[in-house]
Amino acid sequence: FAEGASVTITANAPETGMIFAGWTGADGLTFTEGDTSTATATFIMPASNVTVSADFITQWAWLQQQLEEDGADITLDRDIVCIDQDEGPLVVPVDTYVTLDLNGHTVDRNLTEPTENGNVITVMGELTLLDSSTEQTGFITGGKNIGYGGGVLVKGSEDINNTACFI
């Protein structure tokens, strides 16, 4: 592209279960639409060549990042399926308050055999879980824990205010 040209780039997930996480090599580019956090962005071509690469993480890792933000108000716009069991259960950390709106979507740990820490979500802080969809079709599934349930596990110590509220 010539210097000063408007260039639009779009990232497409390489496989199911992955989500766009940003652009590598976009430092110093002037974006006219979107930015480094959006999968489609437009920038003005600088005087020299640029190499921009799309970065992806698993949907599970993306949701985990969101759950670590104190005060996060997360509304799902897609089903979230764990494709890498080494990532373990989702965790709401100690001293973190999060609201997760399933919005008619599924959070699926995707386990086929019972395992230690086989639950879907572990609440160490505070979690409000709801489904604002008209159909009320959102659900948490796919956990298989040895010894206890496989959905949402509320745990911690008596010094920790750990709560899961389902609406």
Side-chain angles (χ1 to χ4, degrees):
F1 293 93
E3 178 182 359
S6 179
V7 178
T8 299
I9 52 179
T10 300
N12 296 313
E15 60 186 83
T16 302
M18 303 297 285
I19 193 167
F20 177 75
W23 298 101
T24 299
D27 296 340
L29 295 179
T30 302
F31 287 90
T32 57
E33 291 181 35
D35 58 33
T36 58
S37 67
T38 60
T40 297
T42 302
F43 64 91
I44 302 301
M45 186 68 185
S48 59
N49 289 341
V50 297
T51 300
V52 181
S53 300
D55 299 322
F56 294 89
I57 59 174
T58 65
Q59 293 174 348
W60 204 255
W62 171 83
L63 185 52
Q64 180 59 57
Q65 288 176 353
Q66 305 306 303
L67 292 172
E68 292 171 359
E69 294 291 324
D70 187 35
D73 191 1
I74 307 159
T75 301
L76 297 183
D77 63 356
R78 68 190 72 196
D79 293 340
I80 304 292
V81 179
C82 184
I83 60 172
D84 180 359
Q85 292 306 321
D86 289 339
E87 292 180 313
L90 298 166
V91 177
V92 178
V94 173
D95 296 328
T96 303
Y97 173 80
V98 176
T99 299
L100 175 59
D101 180 354
L102 298 174
N103 192 30
H105 296 284
T106 300
V107 176
D108 185 354
R109 175 76 187 273
N110 203 25
L111 285 173
T112 57
E113 297 293 325
T115 184
E116 291 290 328
N117 296 316
N119 56 295
V120 181
I121 301 174
T122 300
V123 180
M124 302 293 289
E126 295 184 38
L127 171 66
T128 299
L129 185 61
L130 58 105
D131 182 0
S132 65
S133 70
T134 305
E135 302 82 17
Q136 298 286 290
T137 53
F139 60 98
I140 295 174
T141 190
K144 293 186 186 229
N145 218 340
I146 294 174
Y148 48 91
V152 178
L153 174 63
V154 180
K155 74 185 232 183
S157 72
E158 53 197 57
D159 296 334
I160 299 171
N161 180 19
N162 42 12
T163 308
C165 173
F166 301 92
I167 301 174

